[in-house]
Amino acid sequence: MSKFKKILFPVDLSESSAQIIPFVASMAKTFQSDLHLLFVARVFKYYDTIYVPPVSIVEFEEKVVKGGKTRLDEFVEENLKDCCVSIAKVLPGDPAEEIVKYVDAEGIDLVIMGTHGRKGLDRILFGSVAAHVVTRSSVPVMTVNPYKMKK
């Protein structure tokens, strides 16, 4: 069996992220892995073509990243203070693309992420970050649907 030295847990800071922590903690403990948390703050660069001043967009994105870092720190304190989080990072960008890039850049061995189980119009409008990561990741991806977990 492979040794998962570095596990990436991408979070969206929602309740569903918190629900899959038992899986993440169990895997990190079993393999004595370094645990990386990643929150990707969506960027709004596509709005610069509709007469929104670029400075406003940049300032807003900076505030979103700063707020994301604050919330990620709170998330770790609330949910993972007993787990070995090695790195908790916030990046701006498209979540699916940034997760895949992070995997390669940081030498991640396993990704564990939640799914939202979106269907229909929601899936068309928002896409599926998990599906993108599963199909493009160079490492194994464990997906957990928090709404189908046995209690």
Side-chain angles (χ1 to χ4, degrees):
M1 181 178 336
S2 294
K3 175 96 169 142
F4 300 118
K5 294 176 185 166
K6 293 182 180 181
I7 295 176
L8 174 61
F9 177 31
V11 296
D12 63 3
L13 303 174
S14 69
E15 185 180 310
S16 62
S17 290
Q19 290 175 326
I20 66 169
I21 287 173
F23 291 99
V24 175
S26 176
M27 292 294 284
K29 183 178 178 183
T30 298
F31 291 101
Q32 298 175 344
S33 307
D34 290 336
L35 182 59
H36 293 233
L37 261 68
L38 178 64
F39 172 70
V40 181
R42 290 190 185 273
V43 293
F44 300 97
K45 65 183 175 188
Y46 47 84
Y47 286 121
D48 64 4
T49 61
I50 59 168
Y51 304 114
V52 176
V55 174
S56 297
I57 294 170
V58 171
E59 288 175 7
F60 180 73
E61 287 176 355
E62 288 171 356
K63 289 179 181 182
V64 169
V65 169
K66 185 178 178 184
K69 179 62 177 149
T70 299
R71 181 61 191 113
L72 184 60
D73 291 343
E74 292 170 355
F75 182 86
V76 170
E77 181 62 29
E78 292 166 5
N79 299 290
L80 289 159
K81 61 183 171 189
D82 296 331
C83 194
C84 55
V85 175
S86 302
I87 294 174
K89 192 166 190 172
V90 176
L91 294 174
D94 175 79
E97 292 175 14
E98 293 303 321
I99 292 167
V100 172
K101 284 197 275 188
Y102 189 90
V103 165
D104 294 333
E106 297 297 325
I108 299 298
D109 301 303
L110 173 68
V111 179
I112 304 174
M113 62 189 303
T115 64
H116 285 285
R118 289 187 176 113
K119 294 181 179 163
L121 187 58
D122 275 352
R123 184 170 176 134
I124 291 168
L125 292 175
F126 297 109
S128 172
V129 173
H132 181 97
V133 173
V134 166
T135 58
R136 289 178 175 78
S137 177
S138 58
V139 301
V141 179
M142 177 181 175
T143 60
V144 180
N145 184 337
Y147 304 108
K148 301 281 185 177
M149 291 178 18
K150 293 182 180 181
K151 304 251 178 189

